[in-house]
Amino acid sequence: MALDVPRKHLGNKGGGDRDGEKRDYSEKLYQQLKERMAEIWPVLMMIAEASARRGWSLYIVGGAVRDLLLNRVGNDRAGSKVENSLPLTDIDLVVENQVNTADETAVGAGVILAEAIQAEYPEIEAQVHGQFQTATLTWQSWQIDIATARTEFYAYPAANPAVEPSDIYRDLYRRDFTINAIALKLTGSQPGQLLDIFNGQADLQQRLVRVLHTDSFIEDPTRIFRAVRFAVRLGFDLEAQTQQLARSAVKSGIYEKSRSKYKKVPALQSRLQAELKYLLEESGWEQSLVWLDELGALACLDENLALSPGLLQQLRRMDRWVHKFEVSQPRWILLLELMLAQLGPERCNRVANSLNLSAQSQYRLRNIHACETQLKSQLKAQVHGSALSRSKVYKIFQSHSHAELLLMADRHPRILGASIWLYLTDLALISPLINGGTLKRLGYSPGPQFKKILADVHQQQLDGTLTTEESAEQYVLSQYSL
Ligand code: CTP
């Protein structure tokens, strides 16, 4: 869908050269930006100079400008300066290159600038993304994305957008929210000028997340997740019409339709996965999920997915456990798996696959339901026979990863919880009294029986019949001939 930027937006609304107040404001902002980006500032200045030399304009856009302005607003409101010292490490630059040679058009301004920087600073890593003519510079914790100003076209709703070089106004118009569509100019006679054609500053002051146009969520459903994430993170509200638009985008079934009609849209799926990751990794994840559920947006993943009190309880518990145990999986994966596991075997596999979750994650979700059934019956059978020994509990759970066990304990706290807990907090942490070296020292020859002896001793150890290395050695010598 082509974006039609209203004519009235094509003038310079944010220009600060008309009165002194605006000029002072630009200078102040520029100064603050410089302080917050002190370490990387020389690189930014070099990019700005290289752009200016070619007659291009360079802007910093998106999150860095939003956060810079927000802290200003925060300072004005609360009089606090705490946040102001945090560096802004993710930098999105947009180059507007109206004056082009054929070569420049072919390669892309962002790429040309990145290459120039790399020649000067070899320690900065540069990655070029040819398809979109963008480049990423990475140095320590800093990341600078340089893109050529562009317009996006959506061939159909939720499609992967096609892009076309454009000007800064249209570039801002393709963005998600007013608060993310403010540009700060780094080139020209008055750097620091703001280009705020959608009144993002007013929304920052009113603490609102607002889309730029009515098709925003239809074109890119992942923006619903972004809207909620930003609102929760910044302590903002979703502007009323924006909420309405999110609800109707979900209700229209657009996401489901785009999935079935156009099969899988890979970039959309990986963007959705990335958004879920960001959202579930932020400290406000719980509030975000509650909002998404209220908006009906969890249906973007699966129409049956809802946030029941039971699921919420599981998620909170998992959040605590992830901090307690050393799990190899990050929190967001485990929270997401818990949500998907709710859907039952078939649906959960379908969603995991369509979200392109990792092979490990898909494996866990494919097996979890059958595994739970099997473990429950194993535990039941064991308990019915006689009291369950510690070594039997160990044997039942030892082939499962911590991530699997936490998921199962969380989903079935009454039936599986206590034994899994015993395994994770006690049995799995016990280091064996003896090892192969001990057996060699005692005079045994290495061979298949080593495994058997060590397993036997470990079992006795778990059950408390062997407690010291000496007793273990005595036991081995008495039970196994040399
Ligand atoms: N953007 C967008 N639509 C998306 C993703 C990104 O319009 N679906 C634009 C926004 O202008 C955003 C910018 O691209 O500000 C950079 O994206 P991203 O790095 O994801 O967001 P930030 O605003 O930098 O957020 P964060 O603070 O989480 O890094």
Side-chain angles (χ1 to χ4, degrees):
M1 193 174 304
L3 297 176
D4 184 19
V5 182
R7 274 321 301 166
K8 67 183 170 111
H9 290 324
L10 296 178
N12 182 359
K13 284 254 181 139
D17 50 3
R18 260 175 269 138
D19 60 48
E21 231 175 75
K22 278 190 178 170
R23 201 171 13 249
D24 288 351
Y25 183 52
S26 301
E27 273 166 23
K28 247 189 234 161
L29 274 181
Y30 191 68
Q31 201 47 43
Q32 283 179 355
L33 191 70
K34 188 173 169 181
E35 281 162 22
R36 302 272 298 267
M37 297 182 172
E39 269 181 293
I40 203 84
W41 194 250
V43 175
L44 278 181
M45 286 304 92
M46 202 181 154
I47 302 175
E49 276 155 30
S51 304
R53 252 198 323 276
R54 292 171 168 86
W56 303 341
S57 301
L58 184 73
Y59 297 86
I60 179 162
V61 292
V65 180
R66 176 197 68 222
D67 292 345
L68 179 77
L69 291 167
L70 198 58
N71 288 334
R72 233 190 106 74
V73 172
N75 286 344
D76 291 345
R77 285 159 72 105
S80 147
K81 280 193 179 282
V82 182
E83 290 282 306
N84 224 5
S85 56
L86 293 175
L88 301 164
T89 49
D90 285 340
I91 303 169
D92 285 307
L93 298 178
V94 171
V95 197
E96 190 183 39
N97 57 336
Q98 306 288 24
V99 197
N100 270 346
T101 64
D103 275 0
E104 287 167 356
T105 308
V107 181
V111 178
I112 293 174
L113 292 173
E115 281 167 359
I117 292 300
Q118 247 242 313
E120 194 69 21
Y121 296 94
E123 66 273 32
I124 296 183
E125 196 188 307
Q127 243 189 321
V128 166
H129 318 286
Q131 191 193 358
F132 299 116
Q133 299 191 327
T134 59
T136 304
L137 300 175
T138 317
W139 179 66
Q140 296 181 355
S141 56
W142 299 87
Q143 180 170 313
I144 306 179
D145 285 310
I146 315 177
T148 311
R150 62 185 196 249
T151 306
E152 285 177 352
F153 299 94
Y154 292 81
Y156 51 85
N160 300 328
V163 300
E164 182 177 277
S166 177
D167 57 28
I168 184 70
Y169 299 95
R170 287 183 172 81
D171 187 283
L172 294 177
Y173 194 70
R174 79 177 166 85
R175 288 172 187 271
D176 48 5
F177 312 115
T178 60
I179 58 170
N180 286 345
I182 308 171
L184 185 148
K185 198 167 182 183
L186 292 175
T187 46
S189 58
Q190 206 187 95
Q193 268 183 55
L194 285 184
L195 202 54
D196 181 16
I197 53 184
F198 301 105
N199 283 329
Q201 291 176 96
D203 284 336
L204 283 176
Q205 238 136 12
Q206 291 176 55
R207 311 179 82 74
L208 289 174
V209 175
R210 184 197 305 266
V211 283
L212 302 191
H213 56 83
T214 51
D215 286 340
S216 191
F217 292 133
I218 299 280
E219 288 178 345
D220 181 357
T222 65
R223 286 182 172 163
I224 302 176
F225 291 73
R226 290 174 66 80
V228 166
R229 174 162 67 90
F230 285 124
V232 169
R233 188 208 289 172
L234 303 173
F236 282 23
D237 267 331
L238 289 192
E239 178 270 333
Q241 201 199 352
T242 300
Q243 276 189 42
Q244 231 14 73
L245 291 168
R247 280 182 215 284
S248 19
V250 177
K251 267 208 195 110
S252 74
I254 184 62
Y255 195 78
E256 204 51 46
K257 264 183 239 157
S258 69
R259 222 179 359 225
S260 48
K261 191 165 171 195
Y262 304 102
K263 297 279 180 240
K264 225 156 102 174
V265 186
L268 176 66
Q269 298 306 328
S270 51
R271 283 209 309 274
L272 187 57
Q273 193 208 110
E275 286 307 331
L276 285 165
K277 172 182 165 177
Y278 294 140
L279 187 140
L280 293 171
E281 279 297 304
E282 295 209 358
S283 58
W285 64 266
E286 186 180 332
Q287 162 90 57
S288 293
L289 288 182
V290 170
W291 272 25
L292 286 170
D293 190 46
E294 274 169 25
L295 291 170
L298 294 179
C300 289
L301 301 176
D302 183 278
E303 59 186 345
N304 286 355
L305 190 62
L307 199 61
S308 64
L311 175 58
L312 205 48
Q313 196 183 12
Q314 287 176 14
L315 294 167
R316 284 192 201 122
R317 207 160 35 214
M318 183 60 83
D319 185 32
R320 288 197 301 276
W321 289 356
V322 174
H323 292 293
K324 184 176 166 69
F325 294 99
E326 279 181 24
V327 199
S328 56
Q329 302 298 316
R331 176 179 68 188
W332 75 273
I333 286 278
L334 294 177
L335 295 185
L336 184 58
E337 286 180 18
L338 268 180
M339 290 166 66
L340 300 187
Q342 282 293 100
L343 295 169
E346 203 183 302
R347 280 176 175 265
C348 120
N349 285 337
R350 185 179 64 78
V351 183
N353 175 271
S354 80
L355 281 175
N356 284 333
L357 294 190
S358 71
Q360 270 182 331
S361 205
Q362 292 199 36
Y363 172 84
R364 270 194 298 277
L365 288 170
R366 213 173 23 251
N367 293 306
I368 189 165
H369 302 90
C371 231
E372 287 167 347
T373 312
Q374 193 202 348
L375 288 179
K376 277 191 226 167
S377 74
Q378 262 179 299
L379 284 175
K380 219 192 256 168
Q382 300 274 358
V383 172
H384 277 291
S386 58
L388 199 59
S389 68
R390 287 161 56 89
S391 61
K392 281 199 176 125
V393 174
Y394 184 87
K395 208 165 169 196
I396 289 174
F397 295 124
Q398 67 173 335
S399 59
H400 298 280
S401 67
H402 278 31
E404 278 172 330
L405 292 175
L406 286 180
L407 286 168
M408 293 190 284
D410 199 0
R411 284 166 47 75
H412 303 281
R414 277 187 307 121
I415 307 173
L416 297 177
S419 346
I420 293 183
W421 204 249
L422 170 68
Y423 175 81
L424 290 174
T425 59
D426 180 349
L427 306 179
L429 306 178
I430 294 175
S431 28
L433 290 171
I434 59 166
N435 56 29
T438 324
L439 297 182
K440 275 195 233 164
R441 181 167 52 74
L442 292 177
Y444 292 91
S445 317
Q449 77 157 353
F450 263 40
K451 201 173 162 196
K452 192 170 159 237
I453 301 175
L454 293 176
D456 181 10
V457 172
H458 189 225
Q459 182 184 328
Q460 307 289 334
Q461 182 186 356
L462 290 172
D463 289 336
T465 45
L466 295 176
T467 51
T468 63
E469 196 178 338
E470 294 73 42
S471 63
E473 289 180 13
Q474 286 304 324
Y475 172 80
V476 174
L477 289 168
S478 68
Q479 297 294 316
Y480 297 94
S481 51
L482 280 165

